[in-house]
Amino acid sequence: MEAYDMLCTLKSDNDGDDCYYFVPYLLRPDVKPFDLSRYYLSDILYIGYEANDIPYIPDGIYYCLLSSCVKKWQRANVKLYYQCAKFFLESSHHYIIIKKDNSHIALQYCYQKLHHPVSANRIKSKVQTSIYSNRPHDTVKQKLSLLIDQRLPKFKGAITRYYVRCNQCNNLTFIEKKNELENNDLVQCQNQGCNMLFQSQSINDWFNTNQEHENGLQQVADRKIPTYDEDTYRECFDIVASKLDENSLFRLGIKLKLPYKDVDEISNSGMNSYYKIYQILESWREKSGQQADLNQLIAILHDINNDVIADRVATKLDSSKCMH
């Protein structure tokens, strides 16, 4: 049952062999809802599908998604409500709330209200940094896409997207462009009969741009770019594709400044993890041409918290012969 995400084993913090089981199928509809009155709440980010593709996410898929997230966030404290779960990520001082909403999964995060301004700002900054760096929304999106492909073969290949609520027509609209995610630009509603531009607090809450990291990457981009031979690219790409967790694939593509649509299509393709990541890297190389600097790739790997892989690529680069 665990192999099919119908339950998840939680090991005890003790040194003994005790363990617990997370079984979301046993949730009852009469459980009391969460009291979030003492918390600051983010705006809601939706993950899901166009109604014409998948009109409704079954309960079974949602329960498997919760189990899959428990496996990913082993140290998270989980509290449950009917068709809603709250994961407390202790080191980052916030909750991630995952709720089922027809053909979408609704995500929100919250953190404790503090009356002291300095402490409140410190917690807010820590939470925002965690959301941007760890990108739990990417994890949920990728887990959901994988479950749909595995459990609902009729809908295999359906594109999993991010959605926000249009404040003009009050309907959900998917996010089409990469700059709508990371540059805080206006979003254009994709619903026929609306097509209005609007600003989304959800994008600001979930896709916060970290200027310090961007400045660091720009310094790398401004340096003189060496020329690499074909073998060097291939060997470095092989290291990344074989070692990088698929959960980091989407963020890697965005950091490499590939079009959001291209990254989304590769992420939701039927290829295995290795080929998805390798295709992301090849797309970046093709798009960048002679500007495809492997030192920039190393900086991005560090930026997305994959230091071990970055060091392996750097070692391979140092041992390769390249012309400057």
Side-chain angles (χ1 to χ4, degrees):
M1 292 178 70
E2 188 164 9
Y4 291 93
D5 289 321
M6 296 175 68
L7 60 81
C8 178
T9 303
L10 304 177
K11 295 182 180 180
S12 172
D13 290 333
N14 302 328
D15 293 334
D17 297 328
D18 294 341
C19 61
Y20 304 91
Y21 294 95
F22 174 77
V23 190
Y25 276 86
L26 300 181
L27 290 176
R28 295 174 50 181
D30 57 351
V31 180
K32 293 182 179 180
F34 300 135
D35 178 10
L36 300 175
S37 59
R38 297 179 297 167
Y39 297 88
Y40 287 108
L41 288 169
S42 74
D43 206 8
I44 299 175
L45 177 68
Y46 297 88
I47 301 173
Y49 305 87
E50 292 291 278
N52 293 335
D53 293 333
I54 301 180
Y56 185 79
I57 295 177
D59 287 352
I61 294 294
Y62 172 69
Y63 296 150
C64 289
L65 177 64
L66 294 185
S67 292
S68 186
C69 289
V70 168
K71 291 179 182 177
K72 177 66 178 178
W73 301 321
Q74 273 285 338
R75 292 296 179 183
N77 181 13
V78 188
K79 294 186 178 180
L80 301 173
Y81 173 57
Y82 184 62
Q83 295 192 344
C84 187
K86 185 171 70 171
F87 295 78
F88 180 60
L89 305 181
E90 184 175 356
S91 61
S92 302
H93 305 291
H94 68 274
Y95 287 96
I96 298 292
I97 301 170
I98 304 177
K99 185 177 182 180
K100 189 165 84 74
D101 187 354
N102 295 323
S103 57
H104 300 88
I105 298 296
L107 294 185
Q108 232 175 344
Y109 63 85
C110 64
Y111 53 94
Q112 183 183 350
K113 292 179 179 178
L114 296 175
H115 298 295
H116 193 280
V118 174
S119 298
N121 288 334
R122 186 181 298 120
I123 291 297
K124 178 181 179 180
S125 177
K126 186 177 181 66
V127 170
Q128 288 180 336
T129 299
S130 174
I131 294 295
Y132 180 76
S133 298
N134 299 321
R135 297 178 74 92
H137 41 299
D138 280 356
T139 295
V140 176
K141 181 174 181 285
Q142 290 159 6
K143 298 289 187 186
L144 176 62
S145 178
L146 184 61
L147 285 169
I148 292 293
D149 285 351
Q150 291 177 341
R151 309 298 169 82
L152 299 177
K154 176 181 177 181
F155 301 113
K156 186 174 182 178
I159 299 176
T160 313
R161 291 187 170 103
Y162 290 119
Y163 291 77
V164 295
R165 190 170 296 281
C166 174
N167 58 23
Q168 302 293 318
C169 67
N170 205 37
N171 293 316
L172 294 184
T173 181
F174 64 84
I175 303 170
E176 179 66 25
K177 299 177 181 178
K178 175 251 182 185
N179 64 351
E180 290 175 346
L181 294 178
E182 297 205 346
N183 293 335
N184 299 324
D185 286 349
L186 293 173
V187 179
Q188 182 160 24
C189 181
Q190 304 294 321
N191 293 300
Q192 292 184 358
C194 182
N195 301 121
M196 300 293 288
L197 293 171
F198 67 97
Q199 288 185 321
S200 171
Q201 183 60 41
S202 181
I203 288 179
N204 291 332
D205 287 344
W206 290 91
F207 299 94
N208 182 36
T209 302
N210 190 321
Q211 193 62 45
E212 181 178 346
H213 287 312
E214 296 298 330
N215 289 342
L217 295 178
Q218 187 60 45
Q219 292 175 4
V220 174
D222 290 340
R223 296 185 315 188
K224 183 178 178 181
I225 299 173
T227 302
Y228 309 100
D229 59 26
E230 184 67 27
D231 287 343
T232 302
Y233 277 114
R234 187 170 60 248
E235 290 170 358
C236 290
F237 287 0
D238 176 71
I239 293 172
V240 179
S242 60
K243 300 297 182 182
L244 188 70
D245 192 308
E246 189 174 350
N247 290 329
S248 300
L249 180 151
F250 199 91
R251 191 173 178 215
L252 174 65
I254 294 299
K255 283 290 186 182
L256 289 171
K257 301 188 183 302
L258 296 178
Y260 172 79
K261 184 178 180 181
D262 293 352
V263 178
D264 195 51
E265 287 178 355
I266 294 173
S267 178
N268 289 292
S269 69
M271 299 183 293
N272 64 31
S273 175
Y274 179 92
Y275 286 105
K276 286 181 183 180
I277 296 168
Y278 204 100
Q279 186 172 349
I280 287 285
L281 296 170
E282 281 291 355
S283 297
W284 164 69
R285 181 185 173 190
E286 182 178 351
K287 175 177 176 290
S288 302
Q290 293 183 348
Q291 301 297 311
D293 184 3
L294 290 172
N295 286 303
Q296 185 181 15
L297 174 60
I298 292 169
I300 289 173
L301 289 168
H302 281 300
D303 187 43
I304 62 175
N305 300 318
N306 282 276
D307 297 331
V308 173
I309 302 176
D311 291 342
R312 290 190 180 186
V313 174
T315 300
K316 172 59 67 175
L317 201 56
D318 289 341
S319 64
S320 300
K321 292 182 180 180
C322 56
M323 297 179 297
H324 296 278

